């Protein structure tokens, strides 16, 4: 009986210790280096063909211009674009 209680207590303490939040120091944060793929070549037509294989008949149609709204001196730029058939207007944030 005592051994079972001790094992249960130890398991509970370990579970609580394992679930405790980690302390994060902004000075000693984690960094992930970014590397470019030197072999990458952008090919929109190949991407559309790949999407057609996966999802069926995909048509990429882009035409016209989008007037942008400048919010509070360059905090964000957004414009209204039409997406889909029938067209639905969506406010899109043009952000990098």
């Amino acid at each position: 009986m005592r051994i079972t209680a001790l094992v249960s207590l130890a398991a509970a303490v370990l579970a609580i210790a394992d679930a405790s939040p980690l302390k994060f120091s902004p000075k000693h944060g984690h960094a992930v280096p970014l590397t470019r793929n030197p072999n990458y070549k952008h090919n929109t037509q190949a991407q559309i063909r790949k999407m057609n294989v996966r999802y069926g008949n995909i048509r990429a149609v882009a035409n016209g211009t989008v007037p942008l709204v400048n919010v509070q001196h360059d905090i964000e730029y957004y414009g209204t674009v039409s997406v889909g058939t029938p067209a639905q207007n969506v406010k899109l944030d043009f952000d990098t």
Side-chain angles (χ1 to χ4, degrees):
M1 181 76 170
R2 289 184 184 176
I3 294 176
T4 305
L6 272 174
V7 170
S8 297
L9 179 62
V13 168
L14 287 175
I16 290 171
D18 189 42
S20 63
L22 298 175
K23 292 182 180 175
F24 177 75
S25 172
K27 286 183 177 180
H28 302 92
H30 298 283
V32 178
L34 299 177
T35 57
R36 290 190 180 268
N37 181 353
N39 300 319
Y40 176 76
K41 291 183 178 57
H42 183 74
N43 187 340
T44 304
Q45 294 303 319
Q47 291 174 342
I48 292 173
R49 283 193 301 271
K50 184 176 179 181
M51 296 298 283
N52 281 333
V53 168
R54 181 177 288 176
Y55 298 111
N57 189 14
I58 303 292
R59 290 184 304 126
V61 178
N63 55 24
T65 59
V66 178
L68 297 180
V69 177
N70 182 357
V71 178
Q72 294 185 359
H73 305 293
D74 298 337
I75 288 180
E76 74 174 343
Y77 289 91
Y78 75 87
T80 303
V81 297
S82 299
V83 179
T85 305
Q88 295 181 353
N89 291 333
V90 178
K91 286 184 179 177
L92 182 65
D93 180 6
F94 290 87
D95 193 1
T96 58

